[in-house]
């Protein structure tokens, strides 16, 4: 598997990510971190880019805890702690967290949390010049025909798979929007993270606490666990 990278462009066998889109005008960035593989690698690449390019960018991490499967804060904190040790010179302003109320829709709740954080920072004279998300592609259609995925629904509403490129300050940058889990595994391999950062993340969406030792492990059978195993060959 051939991969290479420099300060501006990260290349894999199928894709490239041009980090020069993060202009010199960017001073404050917000990134959504759920505790999963995808947002974790985006945070890693952002910090790597800031460090290797000597950028003066401060980061706000945003995590919204689901009421039904409330693992996001615990695992995003594990990711963030690991990243901070790996990149001690990167400036983190805060880890902004919120707990959704019982019955509250996760997608809607995340959006409300984001708007509240944006408003609070605006009152302090701070705007987010760019925002990051780890939204990515589901596995190819033929993968759903295999037994492990049979009868299980793919994750996320369709609008989560849109292609959005930042065109002005304050828009979103989705660096891995065209990557599926095998492509993301290639990034983890490229940066030698499959035995380190990988184990700080959790992908499982099983809501029955007994099946995941109170959200501390993977259930191994839900759609998201199967996707993780399909991409990385392990949980």
């Amino acid at each position: 598997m051939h991969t290479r990278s420099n300060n501006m462009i990260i290349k894999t066998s199928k894709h490239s990510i041009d980090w020069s889109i993060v202009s010199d005008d960017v001073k404050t960035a917000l990134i959504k971190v759920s505790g999963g593989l995808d947002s974790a690698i985006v945070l890693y690449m952002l910090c790597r880019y800031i460090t290797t390019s000597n950028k003066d960018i401060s980061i706000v991490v945003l995590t919204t805890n689901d009421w039904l499967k409330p693992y996001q804060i615990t695992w995003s904190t594990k990711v963030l702690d690991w990243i901070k040790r790996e990149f001690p010179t990167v400036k983190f302003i805060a880890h902004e967290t919120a707990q959704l109320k019982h019955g509250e829709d996760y997608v809607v709740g995340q959006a409300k949390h984001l708007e509240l954080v944006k408003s609070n920072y605006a009152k302090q004279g701070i705007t987010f010049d760019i925002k990051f998300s780890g939204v990515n592609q589901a596995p190819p259609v033929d993968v759903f025909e295999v037994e492990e995925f049979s009868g299980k629904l793919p994750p996320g509403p369709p609008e989560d798979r849109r292609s959005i490129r930042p065109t002005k300050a304050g828009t979103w940058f989705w660096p891995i929007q065209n990557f599926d889990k095998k492509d993301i595994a290639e990034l983890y391999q490229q940066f030698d993270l499959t035995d380190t950062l990988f184990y700080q993340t959790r992908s499982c969406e099983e809501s029955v606490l007994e099946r995941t030792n109170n959200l501390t492990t993977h259930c191994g059978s839900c759609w998201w666990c199967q996707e993780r195993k399909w991409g990385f060959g392990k949980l």
Side-chain angles (χ1 to χ4, degrees):
M1 184 179 298
H2 175 69
T3 60
R4 66 184 179 88
S5 64
N6 58 31
N7 287 353
M8 294 291 184
I9 299 176
I10 294 172
K11 289 185 177 293
T12 67
S13 58
K14 293 194 298 184
H15 303 290
S16 64
I17 304 170
D18 186 357
W19 283 89
S20 66
I21 200 167
V22 183
S23 71
D24 292 336
D25 295 332
V26 171
K27 297 302 179 185
T28 307
L30 178 140
I31 178 168
K32 294 173 64 177
V33 178
S34 66
L37 288 163
D38 314 320
S39 56
I41 192 63
V42 173
L43 178 59
Y44 176 89
M45 290 188 292
L46 172 60
C47 292
R48 180 185 176 278
Y49 173 70
I50 290 172
T51 302
T52 59
S53 301
N54 196 29
K55 299 294 184 182
D56 183 19
I57 299 175
S58 299
I59 300 174
V60 172
V61 173
L62 182 80
T63 303
T64 310
N65 226 35
D66 193 4
W67 65 273
L68 184 61
K69 302 178 289 287
Y71 68 88
Q72 292 82 8
I73 291 177
T74 297
W75 287 85
S76 62
T77 299
K78 290 181 64 175
V79 168
L80 184 55
D81 288 347
W82 188 93
I83 291 286
K84 285 181 175 179
R85 292 192 296 269
E86 189 76 4
F87 300 98
T89 63
V90 173
K91 294 180 291 186
F92 287 90
I93 297 177
H95 185 187
E96 296 289 348
T97 64
Q99 174 64 55
L100 297 188
K101 297 176 182 178
H102 184 89
E104 190 171 2
D105 181 83
Y106 186 51
V107 174
V108 174
Q110 287 184 84
K112 289 180 178 179
H113 183 202
L114 172 60
E115 290 306 311
L116 177 61
V117 169
K118 286 168 58 180
S119 175
N120 289 341
Y121 276 80
K123 293 174 184 177
Q124 304 172 51
I126 300 173
T127 59
F128 301 123
D129 304 309
I130 193 167
K131 299 185 288 291
F132 293 85
S133 172
V135 169
N136 58 90
Q137 294 291 319
V141 175
D142 58 357
V143 173
F144 294 111
E145 298 174 1
V146 302
E147 182 177 356
E148 288 83 355
F149 287 93
S150 178
K152 298 183 176 70
L153 296 174
E159 59 267 24
D160 278 354
R161 306 297 183 178
R162 294 173 300 176
S163 294
I164 295 182
R165 300 280 186 182
T167 56
K168 60 182 180 180
T171 56
W172 289 92
F173 181 26
W174 296 0
I176 55 173
Q177 61 184 353
N178 297 316
F179 288 58
D180 61 31
K181 276 296 187 295
K182 285 190 181 293
D183 301 322
I184 293 167
E186 198 173 328
L187 287 172
Y188 272 77
Q189 292 165 6
Q190 176 174 351
F191 295 116
D192 195 23
L193 300 173
T194 54
D195 292 322
T196 53
L197 180 57
F198 176 88
Y199 289 111
Q200 308 306 312
T201 68
R202 184 177 186 274
S203 302
C204 183
E205 293 287 336
E206 173 59 63
S207 60
V208 179
L209 300 183
E210 292 78 9
R211 296 178 183 172
T212 61
N213 295 309
N214 198 30
L215 304 175
T216 62
T217 63
H218 288 80
C219 74
S221 60
C222 71
W223 194 98
W224 292 266
C225 281
Q226 297 301 335
E227 183 190 32
R228 185 178 175 108
K229 287 192 289 186
W230 171 78
F232 285 79
K234 61 179 182 177
L235 285 174

